């Protein structure tokens, strides 16, 4: 059986969707673990990660069912959704790789000011207070706040790691975006193929 055949295309599509299922369960598990152990207190962050995981799990489930049953409607919707996700993810990944330091600083400041829970998480994990300068009249969850003069602002610390993180996220995003376009191509190919075996319902 050549790799361009019906069975090989079907198995490749199933394997790709099993990979998506594993990634989605990993996202959900990591978010729940972080919330359970108090590593992340922001409900929006946890809900966002779990939401992405559930969406990916749903897409993978549609693709897996469509591949196993050779269901034309499911495969069509799976192909459209995967292509849309590919375009969005590739755009976001390219933006992560292309963003400059000044834009990083502006985005970090906006994100910092948007959520007090995120501020507390960052201050606690990085042992810093405030974004540009510590607020000695306010509160801070960092250990250094017992001696406020020893506290450093969080902004420079976050920005020092931002470029590395953005490159990592952009690289991972690009990798998965190309697996998605591979899934679109496999789905389009698989939809137009017919099972030439005498018993098309045989176990694969």
């Amino acid at each position: 059986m050549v790799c361009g055949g019906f069975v090989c295309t079907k198995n490749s599509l199933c394997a790709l969707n099993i990979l998506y299922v594993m990634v989605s369960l990993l996202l959900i598990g990591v978010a729940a673990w972080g919330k359970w152990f108090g590593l992340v207190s922001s409900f929006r962050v946890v809900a966002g990660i779990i939401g992405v995981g559930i969406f990916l799990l749903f897409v993978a489930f549609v693709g897996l069912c469509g591949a196993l049953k050779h269901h034309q409607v499911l495969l069509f919707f799976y192909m459209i959704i995967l292509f849309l996700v590919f375009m969005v993810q590739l755009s976001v990944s390219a933006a992560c790789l292309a963003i400059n330091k000044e834009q990083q600083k502006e985005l970090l400041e906006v994100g910092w000011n948007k959520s007090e829970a995120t501020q507390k998480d960052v201050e606690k994990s990085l042992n810093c207070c405030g974004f540009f300068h510590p607020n000695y009249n306010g509160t801070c969850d960092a250990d250094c706040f017992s001696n406020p003069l020893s506290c450093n602002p969080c902004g420079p610390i976050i920005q020092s790691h931002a470029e590395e993180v953005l490159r990592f996220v952009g690289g991972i995003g690009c990798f998965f975006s190309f697996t998605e376009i591979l899934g679109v191509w496999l789905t389009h190919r698989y939809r137009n193929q017919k099972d030439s075996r005498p018993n098309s319902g045989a176990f694969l």
Side-chain angles (χ1 to χ4, degrees):
M1 177 68 68
V2 295
C3 196
F6 179 89
V7 175
C8 184
T9 306
K10 176 178 182 177
N11 291 340
S12 299
L13 196 56
C14 288
L16 184 64
N17 282 287
I18 290 172
L19 173 65
Y20 289 156
V21 169
M22 293 171 64
V23 172
S24 65
L25 293 176
L26 180 64
L27 284 173
I28 295 170
V30 167
W33 177 79
K35 183 64 176 176
W36 180 265
F37 285 95
L39 299 176
V40 180
S41 59
S42 174
F43 178 77
R44 290 183 180 180
V45 172
V46 174
I49 296 174
I50 292 178
V52 171
I54 292 174
F55 175 75
L56 183 59
L57 185 63
F58 170 75
V59 173
F61 180 75
V62 171
L64 199 56
C65 288
L68 290 173
K69 297 181 178 180
H70 200 220
H71 196 288
Q72 295 293 312
V73 176
L74 286 178
L75 289 172
F76 174 77
F77 281 109
Y78 172 75
M79 183 172 60
I80 297 299
I81 294 171
L82 207 60
F83 182 71
L84 293 175
V85 172
F86 161 75
M87 291 194 298
V88 172
Q89 188 166 325
L90 186 62
S91 301
V92 172
S93 300
C96 287
L97 295 173
I99 192 171
N100 58 42
K101 290 187 176 180
E102 189 61 33
Q103 292 170 328
Q104 289 175 20
K105 185 177 179 181
E106 292 176 2
L107 289 174
L108 289 171
E109 187 178 0
V110 170
W112 177 269
N113 293 327
K114 241 181 178 181
S115 173
E116 291 185 7
T118 302
Q119 292 177 20
K120 292 180 179 179
D121 289 338
V122 173
E123 288 174 343
K124 187 176 180 180
S125 60
L126 297 181
N127 196 28
C128 58
C129 289
F131 190 78
F132 289 113
H133 52 79
N135 181 10
Y136 300 120
N137 296 322
T139 59
C140 179
D141 290 347
D143 294 334
C144 67
F145 199 65
S146 57
N147 181 16
L149 295 177
S150 66
C151 281
N152 295 317
C154 296
I157 300 175
I158 298 172
Q159 195 168 7
S160 65
H161 300 290
E163 187 173 357
E164 182 180 347
V165 171
L166 286 171
R167 285 182 180 178
F168 176 77
V169 171
I172 293 293
C174 283
F175 170 76
F176 275 102
S177 66
F178 285 110
T179 67
E180 288 155 7
I181 201 64
L182 173 64
V184 172
W185 176 76
L186 285 172
T187 306
H188 180 267
R189 181 185 181 88
Y190 182 57
R191 287 185 74 240
N192 295 321
Q193 288 180 328
K194 292 183 178 180
D195 192 350
S196 58
R197 296 171 303 163
N199 181 11
S200 61
F203 178 76
L204 297 178

